[in-house]
Amino acid sequence: MIFEHTIGSELPDDAFEWTDAQNDLIDFSTGWTFTVEVGFPNQDAVLTKDEGITGAATSPNVTIAWANGELDTPLTAGSWPGWISATNGGKNRKRSFLLKLNPSVT
């Protein structure tokens, strides 16, 4: 999953479909918390986000809302690898997948 953003303008939100191994949409409407981490492998994340991420039962079932200026620091223009994790506290389950942020300068 690749998300394109212009530094200083985080809109629009990133909304997407997250499916299971059978390609069925995962119901993230209840009990799930999300974390996005951006950075390079084997290094500490340069950006961690755990607020403004919501799940749903219907498509798109995950939406990441970036606050104004949230990607400005410490990200620079280029390609940044990362991952998103969803954790269900009630069932002690965790799902993760890779993503990429491509911030650019206007």
Side-chain angles (χ1 to χ4, degrees), residues 6-10 38 45-48 66-77 80 101 103:
T6 301
I7 294 174
S9 176
E10 284 73 14
V38 179
V46 297
L47 175 73
T48 300
W66 298 100
N68 190 28
E70 191 170 11
L71 297 176
D72 296 3
T73 305
L75 300 185
T76 56
W80 288 86
L101 284 173

Side-chain angles (χ1 to χ4, degrees), residues 2 6 10-11 14 25 27 31 37 39-40 44 49 55 60-61 63 65 68 76 83-84 90 92 98 103:
I2 298 175
T6 301
E10 284 73 14
L11 299 176
D14 295 318
L25 198 67
D27 181 353
E37 295 182 87
F40 293 95
D44 291 337
K49 178 177 181 60
N61 62 336
T63 301
N68 190 28
T76 56
W83 53 97
I84 182 168
N92 198 24
L98 298 176

Side-chain angles (χ1 to χ4, degrees), residues 8 11 15 21 29 36 54 70 72 80-81 85 92 96 104 106:
L11 299 176
S29 62
V36 171
T54 55
E70 191 170 11
D72 296 3
W80 288 86
S85 299
N92 198 24
S96 298
S104 61
T106 57

Side-chain angles (χ1 to χ4, degrees):
M1 183 84 39
I2 298 175
F3 300 117
E4 304 278 344
H5 288 281
T6 301
I7 294 174
S9 176
E10 284 73 14
L11 299 176
D13 296 343
D14 295 318
F16 58 96
E17 293 182 351
W18 191 340
T19 58
D20 62 17
Q22 290 75 38
N23 208 34
D24 295 324
L25 198 67
I26 300 168
D27 181 353
F28 285 123
S29 62
T30 305
W32 293 88
T33 58
F34 300 89
T35 302
V36 171
E37 295 182 87
V38 179
F40 293 95
N42 303 316
Q43 297 179 14
D44 291 337
V46 297
L47 175 73
T48 300
K49 178 177 181 60
D50 56 13
E51 295 180 357
I53 308 168
T54 55
T58 58
S59 180
N61 62 336
V62 179
T63 301
I64 304 169
W66 298 100
N68 190 28
E70 191 170 11
L71 297 176
D72 296 3
T73 305
L75 300 185
T76 56
S79 184
W80 288 86
W83 53 97
I84 182 168
S85 299
T87 305
N88 186 312
K91 297 182 181 176
N92 198 24
R93 293 183 179 174
K94 184 173 183 175
R95 297 175 178 266
S96 298
F97 79 86
L98 298 176
L99 55 88
K100 186 185 298 184
L101 284 173
N102 289 338
S104 61
V105 177
T106 57

